[in-house]
Amino acid sequence: RNKEIVASTSSRVIPVGLNIHRRWFYLRIEKKGDTLAYYVDGTKVLEFRDPQPLTGDRLGFWTYNNGIMVARVRISSESGSEFENPFRDIPKTCKTIYE
């Protein structure tokens, strides 16, 4: 925020090796009040409590020093006029046609 990194992890959250080519990962980001939680394949990889949480109706997602391809995006909110349970039918890992 304002050119400052507010949260990061030095842990490896995506495995390395030849077996991840064409593999899909299930990514989930939750915002509850002033806390952001990040999950990869159902495992929490980072949590950040924001002392000055942003308000608004927008979502941003990006990587640093990496590329990313995103498919099958679902955005859900508990406070909108419609509600979809974001935890329904969550696979442990996402399958591809190559498996």
Side-chain angles (χ1 to χ4, degrees), residues 57-74:
D57 58 356
R58 290 169 176 80
L59 173 79
F61 187 74
W62 68 93
T63 66
Y64 176 76
N65 208 20
N66 287 295
I68 189 168
M69 184 186 309
V70 180
R72 294 186 260 177
V73 174
R74 182 186 312 177

Side-chain angles (χ1 to χ4, degrees), residues 41-84:
D41 285 344
T43 301
K44 187 186 291 185
V45 296
L46 180 67
E47 186 172 272
F48 169 67
R49 185 183 167 276
D50 191 346
Q52 298 175 320
L54 298 174
T55 59
D57 58 356
R58 290 169 176 80
L59 173 79
F61 187 74
W62 68 93
T63 66
Y64 176 76
N65 208 20
N66 287 295
I68 189 168
M69 184 186 309
V70 180
R72 294 186 260 177
V73 174
R74 182 186 312 177
I75 299 171
S76 180
S77 169
E78 294 177 347
S79 61
S81 60
E82 295 183 30
F83 175 73
E84 177 184 23

Side-chain angles (χ1 to χ4, degrees), residues 3-24:
K3 300 183 182 180
E4 296 289 326
I5 297 172
V6 296
S8 66
T9 180
S10 59
S11 299
R12 187 174 306 265
V13 296
I14 302 293
V16 293
L18 298 175
N19 61 344
I20 66 163
H21 185 66
R22 296 182 176 165
R23 183 176 181 274
W24 292 99

